[in-house]
Amino acid sequence: MSATSAGLPATGAVPAEDDAPDRLRSTWYAVQECLRSALDSIRSHPMRSFLTMLGIIIGVASVICVVGLVQGLAQSLSREFQGLGGNTLTLRAETPLEEALRGRENRLKTTDLEQLRHRIDGIRHITPVVLAGGRYGGEVRNGPHVATGQMFGTTSRYQDVQQTYPRHGRFLTDSDDASRRRVVVLGEQLRRDLKLPANPVGRFIQISGEWFRVVGSMEPRGEMFGMSQDNYLVMPYRTALAVTGAGVEPDLWISFAVDDPAEVDNIKAKVRLLVRRLHKLQPGQADDFVVESSDALAKSFNEISTIVTLVVAGIVGVSLLVGGVGIMNIMLVSVTERTREIGIAKALGAPSHFILMQFLIEAVLLALAGGLIGIAVGFLLSLGIAQLIPNFPSPTMPWGAVFGACAFSALVGITFGILPARNAANLVPVEALRYE
């Protein structure tokens, strides 16, 4: 049997050191022969090759599936955050757990609102927001139909701050607030839950036994974190205080928009200094309030989603090592089976480093092919899972994950293929030819 027919380089003629072009041609020829031999070996044992790649396929498919689902969810939520507007800020009270357990609760006051309105430059719209039905919403009735939703008491500036506007009818007016009218504007989800018509203007609903007239319905805003953003209603601020009886110490939020989005951080710093002074907080004492922005939430979520993606992908990627061990085992068996072929090739002059290169290329090809199949399987798997979960966003596959999976697969092939390749390269021709 010739070395060529055995799939091994037939010549190990080493060109003269000063003949660089010949040396390059010889190396290129050896690489081609090694590549062809590796492909022949893989094709001649298709089932064994597939089983060898199975560990890599499962590992890469798991990583790609997880990355695709997490990145798709992250991008969907980023778009939702961007829709909220990057120049909107919310000031709310914050109560530490120790104080909450003692029954104490920090509150913002109407004086905080007035101070912010008059002493902070750069604020375009500002409005108080009070939770009329408590933190978990309240019950709303339309005849026999009952639904639960968030109830906000606010002013006419709310729509400009939140950048959301009525689809039917009108929003609240200053006269509604001044005269404490029993009027509401409904979110789309709450309207549907109450079985009201698409245009509910003029209909009456009941809140805590009080009748309210619907004067408008808001344009839908979709879902965030799987929860509807349209399950709410708004009523005039003073009406909410009168209905809830919270006129003395309401659970108040303050929402405001800044003129220049680039000044958001600067405005936040000014607000923090002012509110700390108003609340007479001493240096070193923790804030009893929080200033939040939708932009900060988006950045925080992106950072969290990136960390989660890396951690989960790293954990799942450990399974690739199992695939690498499988490749090493099969390659060791292959070296044993082809011992005589290796002996013939070395007897005819094939250098050891060519033998090493051939088996190493075969291991890398197996790992790389497993990685490519795993990428396709993982993407199809993520598509299937996204379809099975209601309202789950479509998966997104960043090119970095695809190239990373290919590169890591090749690295696994090199790492776990080096031992069998070295065993083959170090065989002594005479002993290899005697092998039965």
Side-chain angles (χ1 to χ4, degrees), residues 205-262:
I205 60 174
Q206 278 186 299
I207 302 172
S208 302
E210 301 272 354
W211 286 98
F212 284 76
R213 186 165 64 91
V214 179
V215 296
S217 64
M218 303 298 288
E219 55 189 10
R221 302 178 67 177
E223 295 186 344
M224 181 180 291
F225 297 108
M227 299 177 64
S228 174
Q229 299 182 83
D230 303 310
N231 189 27
Y232 71 97
L233 63 80
V234 291
M235 63 177 69
Y237 177 68
R238 288 188 174 86
T239 302
L241 297 183
V243 170
T244 60
V248 177
E249 191 179 9
D251 187 5
L252 188 68
W253 295 357
I254 300 173
S255 288
F256 53 97
V258 301
D259 291 325
D260 184 0

Side-chain angles (χ1 to χ4, degrees), residues 384-398:
I385 292 174
Q387 292 293 324
L388 288 175
I389 302 175
N391 300 320
F392 199 89
S394 299
T396 300
M397 195 58 58

Side-chain angles (χ1 to χ4, degrees), residues 143-213:
H145 306 294
V146 179
T148 301
Q150 292 288 339
M151 294 188 285
F152 301 123
T154 187
T155 69
S156 60
R157 263 73 68 189
Y158 180 84
Q159 59 178 343
D160 297 315
V161 173
Q162 297 296 329
Q163 299 178 21
T164 179
Y165 301 94
R167 184 165 68 170
H168 298 289
R170 65 172 177 82
F171 197 70
L172 305 175
T173 63
D174 291 340
S175 66
D176 291 332
D177 190 46
S179 57
R180 296 182 175 81
R181 289 195 184 108
R182 299 291 199 264
V183 293
V184 294
V185 180
L186 298 177
E188 181 62 16
Q189 181 63 48
L190 188 57
R191 180 198 66 77
R192 287 200 296 264
D193 292 345
L194 291 172
K195 310 299 181 188
L196 287 167
N199 185 355
V201 175
R203 304 293 291 266
F204 284 87
I205 60 174
Q206 278 186 299
I207 302 172
S208 302
E210 301 272 354
W211 286 98
F212 284 76
R213 186 165 64 91

Side-chain angles (χ1 to χ4, degrees), residues 1-6 8-10 338-350 429 432-433:
M1 181 183 294
S2 68
T4 303
S5 63
L8 298 170
R338 296 157 67 183
T339 299
R340 283 182 59 81
E341 297 176 15
I342 297 170
I344 293 171
K346 297 193 77 171
L348 292 175
L433 289 171

Side-chain angles (χ1 to χ4, degrees), residues 90-150:
T90 299
L91 173 65
R92 62 176 177 81
E94 175 78 359
T95 304
L97 180 61
E98 295 83 3
E99 293 188 19
L101 292 175
R102 294 170 189 160
R104 297 173 59 183
E105 187 173 5
N106 295 323
R107 295 284 179 90
L108 296 179
K109 302 175 182 176
T110 52
T111 52
D112 296 325
L113 171 68
E114 296 304 320
Q115 292 292 326
L116 256 65
R117 194 197 305 273
H118 298 294
R119 299 180 63 178
I120 301 291
D121 294 330
I123 291 179
R124 183 171 50 190
H125 305 289
I126 185 167
T127 182
V129 180
V130 63
L131 293 172
R135 294 182 183 276
Y136 304 104
E139 191 176 275
V140 186
R141 179 181 294 275
N142 172 36
H145 306 294
V146 179
T148 301
Q150 292 288 339

